[in-house]
Amino acid sequence: MTYLLLTGGRVVNSTGSTNADVLVHAGRIEAIGNLTDLPIVDVERVDCTGRLLLPGGVDVHTHLDSPMMGTTTSDDFASGTRAAACGGTTTLVDFAMQGAGQTLLQSLETHRQKAKGKAVIDYSFHMCVTDLYEGATDEFPEIVSSGVTSFKVFMAYRGTLMLHDGALFDVLRTSSAAGGQVCVHAENGDVIDRLAADLVAAGRTGPGSHEISRPPSTEVEAVRRAIQIARMADSPLYFVHLSTEGAVEAVAEARANDWAIAGETCTHYLTLDRSLYDAPGFDAAKVVLTPPLRTEEHRDALWRGLRAGTLGVVSSDHCPFCLEEKRRLGEHDFRAIPNGGPGVEHRFIVMYAEGVRKGRISLEKFVDLTATAPARQFGLSPAKGAIVQGADADIVVLDPEGSTTISAETQNQRMDYTPYEGWKLPGLIENVYARGELVSESGKYVGAEGRGRFLERSAL
Ligand code: URP
Ligand code: ZN
Ligand code: ZN
């Protein structure tokens, strides 16, 4: 069939919602409106009565096939993007780590080869800078002009990933001059390392100590410092995975001054809390992710930050390591547990259920946070993030009357657990279309292999 016509659904965009049919042709949205009498043949009609038609999710924070803390994340580009598609996410921006002893351009090429022919949804990369060797910044213009228009730096993990403040300053000013933007992991790594060493010296080596070693102030201090360094570099800045009330306040103050500071939080900070670190045995390792989960007060502040527009994006920070792998590496010392958890498959439905259905955000705000704003922030608009004429036909058909039960047994992520085990949520993701192709039906991948395309993003 040449045409696809989704009839009778409610089209939701960040700007508003309307009952309308959607006509798709050659991978793009051709028309939106009352189209049932359109004189076209060769059309597949799909009845979407009672369904929501939502823009495919855009997740700008994933780590697929990524070397980290002595191991590699468990999802590669095939399994991770299948899981994303089944969960309603049709675009990813993944982190390309700088390889040991590799230049940035070499590392980027390594990551490109990992994705090529494997990804089933469209994707792009952020370039992680973990070693600012002589000449590294000279490569920024070529990286940006190849469509990788954002960089990530770490203010934690000294000795492996962390850049000192001078290097952060250099990355900011060079990236800005090249038309790129910088994503910052804001935690005070040196203080964390000392707190962690004290805990181990006191015999507190279990996974629950991870949270204690990274108190909220370690994030807040680093956020405030990074904002000032960005000011000195005259550069915009995007904070990844913010988790604390103090960070929201710092970003709000900066934005009130019209400084180009943006922030994201993640599904898990909005829906889980620190009580999971009290789990018996090694189970707390499931949520050894960074920054750690916080108390309800912080969680409420993050929801307020989203509603106020202080935080503009919700990502998954999908950084999966199986529990057995976490145990192998860190059973005797929590500092060696690889930091991260799964989430790309469940970000969309968890945000819909916990956000929209619990009355915390509107449907339009949900669309903005999970698709429209991340696409705009990272140069993927207008092709991605909205159901509008001319955009890519990335569409999620969601039945609000249906329900979803999350379980490790049935998930597509290559993982032996999910922190949302057993959650029964309102809403069921039925069909997922990516560039007009049906890629998922009720949580099962039905699309072609390796169909995803690399997206060259525009510079700022
Ligand atoms: O827990 C996480 N997120 N692990 C490492 C990757 C990151 O974003 O810092
Ligand atoms: Zn990070
Ligand atoms: Zn991450």
Side-chain angles (χ1 to χ4, degrees):
M1 297 277 180
T2 320
Y3 287 88
L4 168 71
L5 186 59
L6 306 177
T7 61
R10 184 155 184 82
V11 176
V12 186
N13 276 309
S14 62
T15 47
S17 308
T18 176
N19 294 332
D21 309 316
V22 179
L23 184 67
V24 173
H25 178 58
R28 294 234 167 92
I29 296 169
E30 182 129 321
I32 301 166
N34 185 352
L35 307 171
T36 39
D37 296 333
L38 216 61
I40 46 169
V41 286
D42 201 17
V43 58
E44 180 192 354
R45 288 169 190 267
V46 178
D47 181 6
C48 295
T49 307
R51 308 300 193 259
L52 301 173
L53 302 185
L54 306 162
V58 177
D59 190 343
V60 293
H61 190 149
T62 62
H63 303 265
L64 299 179
D65 205 345
S66 186
M68 212 171 285
M69 295 184 75
T71 183
T72 303
T73 52
S74 60
D75 272 310
D76 64 8
F77 276 86
S79 65
T81 56
R82 281 170 83 106
C86 293
T89 287
T90 50
T91 305
L92 295 185
V93 186
D94 194 75
F95 288 96
M97 292 301 282
Q98 184 177 355
Q102 282 194 318
T103 66
L104 296 176
L105 285 165
Q106 285 166 344
S107 309
L108 190 54
E109 183 53 27
T110 302
H111 213 60
R112 276 186 203 281
Q113 293 308 324
K114 289 179 177 177
K116 205 169 167 185
K118 278 185 143 187
V120 302
I121 57 171
D122 295 346
Y123 60 94
S124 184
F125 304 126
H126 310 280
M127 181 75 242
C128 289
V129 184
T130 57
D131 169 20
L132 201 67
Y133 55 87
E134 178 98 41
T137 52
D138 296 344
E139 298 177 13
F140 282 24
E142 187 176 338
I143 292 168
V144 169
S145 60
S146 76
V148 175
T149 56
S150 45
F151 299 84
K152 179 182 179 185
V153 297
F154 293 83
M155 296 170 79
Y157 305 106
R158 183 176 287 280
T160 52
L161 307 176
M162 177 172 157
L163 294 190
H164 58 70
D165 290 351
L168 169 58
F169 178 67
D170 279 342
V171 170
L172 283 161
R173 59 182 172 174
T174 318
S175 156
S176 174
Q181 64 178 313
V182 178
C183 307
V184 173
H185 173 131
E187 287 185 302
N188 186 317
D190 286 341
V191 170
I192 288 167
D193 288 348
R194 280 156 181 77
L195 292 174
D198 288 352
L199 285 157
V200 171
R204 299 175 70 181
T205 57
S209 292
H210 175 75
E211 181 225 356
I212 305 166
S213 70
R214 305 180 105 94
S217 46
T218 56
E219 177 176 89
V220 180
E221 183 280 328
V223 165
R224 290 196 174 271
R225 179 162 34 109
I227 289 171
Q228 293 307 323
I229 295 172
R231 293 292 296 154
M232 293 180 237
D234 196 16
S235 166
L237 182 57
Y238 176 90
F239 286 108
V240 292
H241 53 48
L242 293 180
S243 66
T244 58
E245 180 169 23
V248 177
E249 284 167 3
V251 172
E253 280 170 31
R255 290 173 67 84
N257 286 329
D258 274 339
W259 299 346
I261 304 293
E264 108 192 340
T265 188
C266 307
T267 329
H268 40 279
Y269 301 119
L270 295 162
T271 59
L272 305 173
D273 70 58
R274 66 140 315 282
S275 62
L276 295 175
Y277 296 109
D278 301 332
F282 196 67
D283 253 26
K286 291 178 181 170
V287 285
V288 169
L289 40 82
T290 305
L293 302 176
R294 307 293 186 186
T295 59
E296 243 174 72
E297 288 70 36
H298 291 288
R299 201 168 67 175
D300 292 347
L302 295 173
W303 281 108
R304 283 198 303 278
L306 293 175
R307 283 192 293 271
T310 306
L311 304 178
V313 171
V314 176
S315 72
S316 68
D317 195 359
H318 181 74
C319 189
F321 303 100
C322 287
L323 188 59
E324 286 319 305
E325 185 66 348
K326 288 187 177 232
R327 193 190 305 278
R328 182 179 76 79
L329 291 163
E331 184 165 22
H332 305 295
D333 184 342
F334 72 90
R335 295 173 298 183
I337 299 171
N339 291 185
V344 74
E345 186 168 351
H346 301 127
R347 178 187 70 124
F348 200 89
I349 195 67
V350 170
M351 282 303 295
Y352 170 75
E354 292 285 304
V356 180
R357 297 296 286 267
K358 286 202 171 161
R360 289 167 163 142
I361 51 173
S362 69
L363 201 44
E364 290 77 14
K365 184 75 176 177
F366 159 77
V367 164
D368 195 43
L369 294 169
T370 57
T372 316
R376 196 184 317 111
Q377 178 76 34
F378 287 101
L380 294 162
S381 302
K384 303 294 186 188
I387 301 182
V388 291
Q389 196 179 11
D392 286 357
D394 294 350
I395 299 171
V396 174
V397 181
L398 187 145
D399 178 5
E401 301 300 324
S403 70
T404 302
T405 301
I406 297 179
S407 149
E409 287 251 305
T410 54
Q411 70 185 353
N412 294 278
Q413 300 169 145
R414 194 185 284 158
M415 277 297 286
D416 56 3
Y417 74 90
T418 155
Y420 306 107
E421 183 66 44
W423 283 29
K424 187 163 187 226
L425 302 173
L428 174 68
I429 295 172
E430 292 184 332
N431 290 0
V432 179
Y433 297 92
R435 277 186 279 104
E437 294 168 25
L438 181 64
V439 291
S440 169
E441 277 180 302
S442 298
K444 296 271 172 296
Y445 188 73
V446 296
E449 295 306 313
R451 57 169 300 287
R453 291 183 190 156
F454 174 71
L455 300 167
E456 276 190 28
R457 293 183 285 125
S458 41
L460 283 183

